[in-house]
Amino acid sequence: MTQVKLTTNHGDIVIELNAEKAPITVANFIEYVKAMARTMEPHSASAQFFINVADNAFLNHSGKNVQGWGYAVFGKVTQGTDVVDKIKGVSTTSKAGHQDVPAEDVIVEKAEIIEA
C-alpha cells in the first residue's frame, strides 16, 4: 500500500492511496509527488486536488460532459485529521475575483511517498 505524507505549514497529513479503485488517478498523483516541487522555472508545478471534509456531491460524476465528469476519489486521510481540521478552519477572504480563499496561505511544503 502506498501512502503520501504532505508536510504543510499547519502540520503533517498522511494519505493512503487506493490504486485498486482509482489506478490512473493514483499513478498521476504519485507522478505529481515526484515532480510537484517546481523545477528552476518558477511556474512549472501544476497539480490540484481536494481533501473533502464533507460529502461534496457536486464533485461526483454525473455525465460524460464538461460539467459532469467529476473527480475520482483516490485515497483517504489516515493521519493528520487534526491538521485537516486546522486548515478547514482558517479565515478566508476574496482575492482576485475568487471567494473563500485563505486569508493566509496554506502551503504544502513537501510531499513524499511512504511505502507501508
Side-chain angles (χ1 to χ4, degrees):
M1 168 190 340
T2 302
Q3 298 179 323
V4 171
K5 178 180 171 184
L6 301 176
T7 303
T8 77
N9 59 334
H10 291 270
D12 295 342
I13 300 168
V14 176
I15 302 168
E16 178 182 297
L17 304 179
N18 190 334
E20 183 179 327
K21 291 195 176 186
I24 294 170
T25 305
V26 167
N28 286 339
F29 190 71
I30 288 171
E31 286 305 309
Y32 288 141
V33 169
K34 291 177 181 176
M36 189 177 279
R38 66 178 178 83
T39 65
M40 295 303 289
E41 297 297 322
H43 303 294
S44 60
S46 64
Q48 186 179 53
F49 59 94
F50 299 94
I51 297 178
N52 285 297
V53 295
D55 184 8
N56 293 300
F58 72 95
L59 296 175
N60 294 343
H61 179 275
S62 62
K64 294 183 177 182
N65 55 57
V66 176
Q67 291 82 23
W69 278 111
Y71 295 84
V73 174
F74 63 92
K76 65 181 179 181
V77 173
T78 57
Q79 295 175 39
T81 53
D82 59 325
V83 176
V84 172
D85 288 339
K86 281 186 206 174
I87 293 169
K88 179 179 109 175
V90 300
S91 298
T92 60
T93 188
S94 294
K95 288 184 184 175
H98 298 284
Q99 297 176 335
D100 295 325
V101 176
E104 293 186 27
D105 290 340
V106 175
I107 301 168
V108 175
E109 298 169 344
K110 183 165 94 172
E112 58 189 311
I113 296 170
I114 306 168
E115 295 296 334

